[in-house]
């Protein structure tokens, strides 16, 4: 009868669905159990807050030396494992990709060992990569030199993750697919717009203006990177001081000039709320 046929279809559907779910679960469990390695490099959100586990994954890290007062910096290249944590040390392989690298070993960065360890009981490791400032960066501020590294299979780890698709985190891109097996480090001396640059106070950003602000007011790029050191009240007060400097220079017949990306000069001015 029709009723018996309906019941048979329902039973078949249930069996088929259960088989599909079991297959999916088995496949996922097999993937989770595979000992693999991938780059876990992230970019904090502009606010600097939130759960670090949710930060956006990136396959490129920029090292802008204009932000630092030191002549070198250490970038921790973080890797994470897939599969189970174990009770013994395991080794993974990381290499510089020569064909995608313009940085020079021993000059722009300090070489590191190709064989690195994930210690017993740990699910991730960090490879400290020392990046060094050189005068060629200062002489070519618009030039970026690159250090590209990649992970390779080892006796302990495979490379099961071929791409990373974001889960839609509110902390980063929801659609950018990245390569978790290759990481590019860009090194330059460019002055970029810092996080706490308020255009209403400081006006339009330019490297020329920013460098002069730092010289006149005794500030650094890092002062503008954190709200704790450059909150709204301090930003406005400092901008007023710099505005006073510009007006005094102009009154003395030494009008301070700004410069755009094309090299055109114009009078340096402040934001509309100063």
């Amino acid at each position: 009868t029709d009723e018996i046929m309906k019941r048979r279809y329902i039973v078949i559907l249930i069996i088929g669905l259960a088989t599909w779910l079991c297959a999916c679960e088995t496949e996922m469990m097999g993937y989770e159990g595979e000992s693999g390695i991938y780059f876990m490099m992230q970019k904090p959100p502009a606010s600097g807050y939130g759960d670090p586990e949710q930060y956006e994954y990136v396959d490129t890290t920029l090292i802008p030396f204009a932000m630092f007062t030191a002549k070198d910096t250490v970038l921790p290249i973080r890797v994470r494992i897939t599969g189970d944590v174990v009770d013994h040390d395991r080794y993974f392989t990381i290499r510089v990709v020569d064909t995608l690298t313009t940085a020079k070993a021993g000059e722009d960065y300090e070489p590191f060992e190709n064989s690195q360890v994930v210690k017993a009981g740990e699910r991730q490791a960090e490879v400290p990569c020392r990046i060094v400032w050189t005068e060629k960066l200062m002489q070519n501020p618009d030039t970026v030199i690159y250090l590209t590294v990649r992970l390779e299979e080892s006796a302990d780890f495979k490379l099961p993750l071929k791409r990373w698709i974001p889960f839609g985190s509110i902390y980063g891109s929801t659609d950018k697919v990245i390569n978790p097996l290759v990481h590019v480090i860009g090194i330059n001396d460019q002055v970029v717009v810092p996080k706490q640059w308020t255009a209403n106070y400081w006006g339009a950003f330019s490297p020329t203006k920013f460098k002069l602000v730092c010289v006149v007011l005794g500030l650094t790029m890092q002062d503008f990177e954190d709200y704790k050191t450059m909150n709204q009240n301090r930003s406005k007060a400092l901008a007023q001081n710099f505005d006073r400097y510009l007006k005094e220079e102009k009154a003395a017949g030494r009008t301070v000039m700004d410069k755009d990306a094309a090299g055109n000069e114009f009078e340096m001015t402040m934001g509309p709320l100063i």
Side-chain angles (χ1 to χ4, degrees):
T1 65
D2 290 343
E3 185 64 29
I4 293 175
M5 291 298 293
K6 285 182 180 178
R7 289 179 181 176
R8 285 180 179 173
Y9 283 134
I10 292 173
V11 171
I12 292 172
L13 181 62
I14 291 173
I15 292 173
L17 181 60
T19 303
W20 177 75
L21 288 173
C22 182
C24 288
E25 184 178 356
T26 302
E27 183 180 358
M28 181 60 72
M29 288 177 66
Y31 170 74
E32 289 180 345
E34 185 174 6
S35 295
I37 199 92
Y38 64 96
F39 285 123
M40 187 197 174
M41 297 296 285
Q42 298 166 283
K43 181 177 70 175
S47 66
Y49 298 102
D51 178 6
E53 286 291 325
Q54 299 297 319
Y55 287 175
E56 179 183 6
Y57 278 39
V58 294
D59 49 20
T60 302
T61 298
L62 180 63
I63 304 294
F65 269 103
M67 291 178 60
F68 312 134
T69 55
K71 297 300 183 184
D72 67 347
T73 187
V74 176
L75 174 68
I77 304 176
R78 187 185 304 117
V79 300
R80 181 170 283 189
I81 67 168
T82 62
D84 298 327
V85 171
V86 299
D87 60 0
H88 58 271
D89 291 353
R90 289 181 291 178
Y91 295 86
F92 64 94
T93 302
I94 177 173
R95 294 187 189 279
V96 173
V97 184
D98 292 332
T99 55
L100 299 175
T101 294
T102 54
K104 294 183 179 179
E107 181 178 325
D108 301 309
Y109 71 95
E110 190 174 282
F112 47 80
E113 294 293 330
N114 295 138
S115 181
Q116 297 285 336
V117 63
V118 176
K119 293 184 178 179
E122 298 290 338
R123 63 172 178 158
Q124 65 186 41
E126 291 183 349
V127 180
C129 180
R130 180 172 174 259
I131 310 294
V132 182
W133 179 90
T134 61
E135 287 194 1
K136 66 182 176 183
L137 292 174
M138 180 180 65
Q139 295 164 358
N140 303 279
D142 295 327
T143 298
V144 181
I145 60 176
Y146 294 99
L147 169 60
T148 304
V149 294
R150 72 163 179 249
L151 294 169
E152 295 182 355
E153 285 192 7
S154 66
D156 292 316
F157 294 108
K158 302 295 184 183
L159 304 174
L161 273 178
K162 304 304 180 185
R163 59 178 182 168
W164 177 268
I165 302 175
F167 293 125
S169 166
I170 61 172
Y171 297 113
S173 171
T174 60
D175 56 9
K176 182 183 178 185
V177 178
I178 70 164
N179 183 348
L181 304 179
V182 175
H183 197 76
V184 179
I185 303 165
I187 310 164
N188 70 5
D189 202 22
Q190 293 174 335
V191 179
V192 295
V193 184
K195 294 177 183 177
Q196 303 304 328
W197 180 274
T198 305
N200 279 334
Y201 300 153
W202 298 100
F205 179 87
S206 76
T208 301
K209 179 190 287 186
F210 183 75
K211 289 179 179 178
L212 185 60
V213 165
C214 289
V215 170
V216 172
L217 301 179
L219 301 171
T220 67
M221 172 69 83
Q222 290 186 325
D223 288 318
F224 285 86
E225 283 296 301
D226 194 332
Y227 186 76
K228 295 177 182 177
T229 57
M230 192 58 67
N231 58 44
Q232 206 168 31
N233 291 335
R234 186 177 186 225
S235 182
K236 185 174 183 177
L238 288 170
Q240 289 172 336
N241 288 344
F242 190 73
D243 181 61
R244 188 177 305 113
Y245 162 80
L246 293 179
K247 290 175 178 175
E248 289 174 352
E249 288 296 291
K250 185 174 183 178
R254 300 185 296 267
T255 300
V256 178
M257 305 301 289
D258 206 340
K259 186 183 296 185
D260 62 21
N264 302 312
E265 290 193 335
F266 54 92
E267 183 177 351
M268 189 174 292
T269 59
M270 301 299 287
L273 299 186
I274 296 298

